[in-house]
Amino acid sequence: MGANNTVIELKGITKRYGYGDTESFALKDVDLTVKRGEFIMIMGPSGCGKTTLLNTIGLLDRATDGSYILNGEDVAGISSRRQAKLRAKKIGFIFQDFNLIPDLPIIENVALPLVYTGHSKTAQLKQASSTLSRFHLQEREYYFPYQLSGGQQQRVSIARAIVSDPEIILADEPTGNLDSRSSHIVMEELKAIHEEGNTIIMVTHNPSLTTYATRVINMLDGQIDTDIKTVADQNLPKPVEERKTTRRRSRGKGGRKK
């Protein structure tokens, strides 16, 4: 897996608050390179910078210093409007508290990221419905969030995160408010999404979930303390379209299998 499969590159990322005697650091000189198809779990004690790092990657927060390259583009210095467009196109979010809009039916919640696509409302709802069917929730399309269980709401949140086919999924404690059964269902859904070649970066406090990861990062005091890969880069899942292209090339070189 070559350098062109790098999707995120952070160099010297620092997030500083205050000045002088009141100065504190949420992130301090963080370097991180993420390859396409990684499933990274970020762990560490409360206040270590996990969520700040995730929000910086997700363009929800700006670093004080350092560079952030997203798919070859330096995004640290671009306008908030341009960042918002990049975020809508390339990044899907899953939150611990689901962040569903309570007075919108499920299908409209899932369709929200498609507002930036320019497609008609009908096309947006059709795509949202198709995505919900993957999670066996199509019969609840016009339910409201309060009519669903916590596990169902989180699966709706995952559907919303992937509806626009982003390259990167960011998940902040996605099982934090769920019971063990619902947590297992959600993690299996994320595993399936990852196996399709999507890049996932997830914050968690639960060490048992690291069995799903290809890489585990532990943070301490705003810095990366340990960074362990459990799957080699060359063994990471490839995107579905890339796999199809590879198979077509293989057939073209070797002819049909007998």
Side-chain angles (χ1 to χ4, degrees):
M1 186 169 285
N4 62 334
N5 282 287
T6 296
V7 290
I8 292 169
E9 188 172 8
L10 307 180
K11 291 184 178 179
I13 290 293
T14 296
K15 182 66 176 181
R16 183 189 304 109
Y17 296 98
Y19 297 93
D21 294 340
T22 65
E23 186 178 63
S24 63
F25 293 87
L27 297 173
K28 193 171 184 179
D29 201 28
V30 172
D31 294 340
L32 178 65
T33 299
V34 178
K35 299 288 187 181
R36 183 174 289 108
E38 288 198 274
F39 193 153
I40 298 175
M41 289 203 183
I42 303 176
M43 303 187 69
S46 296
C48 70
K50 303 185 301 294
T51 296
T52 303
L53 178 60
L54 202 70
N55 287 343
T56 301
I57 292 171
L59 302 174
L60 296 174
D61 201 354
R62 285 181 182 264
T64 310
D65 299 294
S67 67
Y68 175 9
I69 309 299
L70 176 62
N71 278 345
E73 180 177 0
D74 188 344
V75 298
I78 65 176
S79 69
S80 297
R81 185 175 182 180
R82 171 68 176 146
Q83 284 197 355
K85 287 184 177 180
L86 274 176
R87 186 166 59 240
K89 183 178 179 181
K90 296 184 179 294
I91 303 172
F93 294 90
I94 304 167
F95 301 95
Q96 179 177 348
D97 296 322
F98 319 136
N99 281 17
L100 301 176
I101 297 176
D103 56 354
L104 283 183
I106 296 309
I107 190 169
E108 292 190 28
N109 267 281
V110 172
L112 283 172
L114 301 175
V115 170
Y116 293 91
T117 63
H119 295 152
S120 68
K121 184 67 176 289
T122 300
Q124 292 172 24
L125 293 177
K126 184 176 180 180
Q127 190 166 335
S129 178
S130 175
T131 305
L132 280 168
S133 69
R134 167 178 177 154
F135 299 94
H136 309 292
L137 289 167
Q138 66 270 38
E139 293 181 359
R140 293 176 170 81
E141 288 180 352
Y142 287 95
Y143 282 40
F144 289 88
Y146 73 88
Q147 295 175 296
L148 303 182
S149 68
Q152 288 172 331
Q153 288 188 61
Q154 192 58 292
R155 285 156 63 205
V156 171
S157 177
I158 296 172
R160 181 184 58 191
I162 68 171
V163 70
S164 59
D165 197 25
E167 299 177 44
I168 301 162
I169 307 292
L170 303 182
D172 192 0
E173 294 278 4
T175 63
N177 287 337
L178 305 178
D179 58 38
S180 58
R181 180 178 178 278
S182 296
S183 294
H184 176 74
I185 292 171
V186 165
M187 289 308 303
E188 287 297 310
E189 295 288 5
L190 290 176
K191 177 184 177 182
I193 292 167
H194 171 246
E195 288 174 347
E196 292 171 3
N198 291 289
T199 305
I200 302 178
I201 305 174
M202 173 176 157
V203 164
T204 183
H205 278 104
N206 189 344
S208 68
L209 299 183
T210 57
T211 55
Y212 289 91
T214 65
R215 182 177 176 187
V216 180
I217 292 173
N218 276 279
M219 294 190 67
L220 187 64
D221 298 331
Q223 297 179 301
I224 292 176
D225 186 42
T226 61
D227 185 349
I228 301 171
K229 289 191 176 189
T230 57
V231 175
D233 289 347
Q234 63 267 29
N235 294 328
L236 294 173
K238 294 179 180 179
V240 174
E241 288 305 313
E242 187 174 326
R243 275 180 270 169
K244 288 179 181 177
T245 301
T246 301
R247 286 197 294 268
R248 285 196 296 267
R249 287 174 179 169
S250 177
R251 287 196 295 267
K253 288 179 180 178
R256 292 185 178 181
K257 291 182 180 180
K258 295 182 179 179

